[in-house]
């Protein structure tokens, strides 16, 4: 919620409910504090009826997922209902925070979504998020299951584990498809079969929120805002993203929970009593 605005700020005012991105903004404590000051470019309106839990879950995962879903050479560069109609999207790790956001945004945009998970519990979360086909990559023949769902291959892969999944992606990518990589695994290196990839005209697109550029960031913020207004980005176990809460005093424990691999989203309640 906005407590004060500086001179020249238009579009947002005291009392407005907002969500933030790139909001650590040169502070070692980031937003783990009761009050923070940000450039208006890093603040977006939270639509009426959308909870602060949703707002707190967006900043990194939804914007990263938006970028991954908008780098196919044939577009779309923007997401909206129907923008991904007819497209097959493979989301690696559909119970992860970015994976969850990618499923929700792709579902909102009309894609057919296939996702990989490692357990029945995570499969239930990915289904709740909106995935059409959920594959347990530890127990099933993932390539065969994905090909069954997308006989001509998948158009976009949203990839959390590029090294481990390189061969799988090569086996299921469509001609002129894109693998959008937003994380590293193993020793951070990736080995590709070049002939196989140029045979399919595949693109590898690397994605880093902090540096992917102002235009892509603005597009992501605008489209995530539209998805919010459509109620397309709910959180909580029933929406596929369990929430684990901590108080502000427990911030270190919240970080420990993330480091320990908490499933879903870890949130810190920063509200001051009486506000
Ligand atoms: N580039 C960027 O701008 C950007 C933005 C946000 C996050 N990140 C990075 O992205 C990573 C994930 O972030 P997050 O917040 O989404 O983490 P998260 O909530 O822990 O999710 C990661 C998911 O990946 C799954 N996974 C791991 N190996 C897999 C594999 N081989 N195949 C399929 N799924 C696999 C995990 O589940 P299982 O292990 O059970 O499969 C887990 O569900 C982190 O390293 C984070 O730093 C980068």
């Amino acid at each position: 919620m906005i407590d004060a605005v500086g001179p020249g700020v238009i579009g947002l005012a005291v009392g407005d409910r907002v969500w933030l991105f790139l909001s650590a903004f040169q502070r070692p404590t980031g937003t783990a504090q009761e009050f923070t000051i940000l450039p208006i470019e890093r603040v977006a309106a939270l639509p009426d009826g959308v909870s602060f839990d949703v707002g707190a879950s967006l900043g990194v995962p939804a914007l990263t997922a938006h970028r991954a879903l908008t780098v196919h050479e044939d577009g779309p560069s923007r997401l909206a209902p129907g923008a991904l109609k007819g497209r097959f999207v493979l989301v690696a790790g559909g119970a992860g925070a970015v994976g969850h956001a990618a499923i929700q945004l792709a579902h909102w945009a009309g894609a057919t979504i296939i996702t990989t998970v490692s357990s029945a519990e995570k499969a239930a979360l990915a289904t709740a998020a909106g995935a059409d086909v959920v594959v347990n990559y530890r127990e099933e023949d993932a390539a065969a299951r994905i090909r069954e769902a997308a006989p001509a291959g998948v158009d976009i892969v949203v990839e959390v584990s590029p090294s481990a999944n390189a061969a799988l992606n090569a086996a299921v990518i469509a001609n002129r498809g894109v693998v959008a990589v937003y994380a590293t695994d193993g020793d951070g290196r990736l080995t590709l079969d070049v002939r196989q990839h140029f045979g399919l005209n595949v693109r590898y697109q690397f994605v880093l929120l902090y540096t992917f550029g102002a235009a892509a960031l603005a597009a992501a913020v605008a489209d995530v805002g539209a998805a919010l207004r459509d109620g397309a980005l709910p959180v909580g176990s029933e929406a596929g993203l369990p929430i684990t809460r901590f108080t502000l005093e427990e911030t270190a424990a919240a970080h420990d929970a993330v480091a320990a691999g908490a499933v879903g989203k870890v949130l810190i309640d920063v509200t001051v009593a009486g506000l």
Side-chain angles (χ1 to χ4, degrees):
M1 177 133 12
I2 295 183
D3 298 284
V5 293
V9 168
I10 52 170
L12 290 169
V14 172
D16 284 355
R17 301 165 68 254
V18 294
W19 62 281
L20 313 176
F21 46 93
L22 303 179
S23 49
F25 194 57
Q26 301 164 5
R27 273 179 219 95
T29 50
T31 49
Q33 45 199 348
E34 295 159 342
F35 296 91
T36 190
I37 301 171
L38 285 174
I40 201 66
E41 297 78 20
R42 299 179 186 207
V43 182
L46 193 61
D48 290 344
V50 177
S51 71
F52 283 126
D53 284 3
V54 171
S57 302
L58 295 171
V60 170
L63 300 180
T64 305
H66 182 283
R67 175 70 176 158
L69 292 168
T70 54
V71 290
H72 192 284
E73 66 175 294
D74 297 330
S77 59
R78 299 293 299 264
L79 298 184
L84 288 173
K85 193 168 182 325
R87 298 294 188 89
F88 289 87
V89 174
L90 171 60
V91 177
V98 178
H100 174 264
I103 291 172
Q104 287 188 323
L105 283 171
H107 182 69
W108 175 66
T112 299
I113 303 149
I114 306 158
T115 191
T116 53
V117 296
S118 64
S119 68
E121 178 207 15
K122 290 186 173 181
L125 293 172
T127 301
D132 298 288
V133 178
V134 182
V135 179
N136 185 322
Y137 69 85
R138 292 216 173 119
E139 294 180 355
E140 301 181 83
D141 180 341
R145 284 286 320 280
I146 294 165
R147 274 283 171 191
E148 190 186 337
V154 298
D155 302 294
I156 302 169
V157 180
V158 182
E159 186 56 77
V160 67
S161 189
S163 179
N165 289 331
L168 174 63
N169 290 335
V172 301
I173 194 80
N175 189 50
R176 298 172 69 244
V178 62
V179 181
V181 174
Y182 65 88
T184 59
D185 62 347
D187 67 357
R189 293 177 186 279
L190 175 61
T191 302
L192 296 177
D193 181 325
V194 174
R195 188 175 295 278
Q196 191 176 12
H197 285 81
F198 73 56
L200 287 167
N201 296 279
V202 173
R203 285 185 175 195
Y204 260 78
Q205 171 74 55
F206 296 88
V207 170
L208 182 64
L209 171 65
Y210 305 95
T211 52
F212 64 53
L217 186 62
V221 172
D223 294 349
V224 167
L228 284 175
R229 287 191 291 280
D230 284 353
L233 304 177
V235 300
S237 296
E238 64 289 351
L241 192 75
I243 300 290
T244 308
R245 318 189 73 88
F246 291 88
T247 65
L248 185 56
E249 294 74 17
E250 296 169 332
T251 294
H255 282 273
D256 289 344
V258 173
V263 176
K265 203 71 195 160
V266 173
L267 298 185
I268 298 171
D269 285 310
V270 295
T271 311
V272 184
L275 266 185

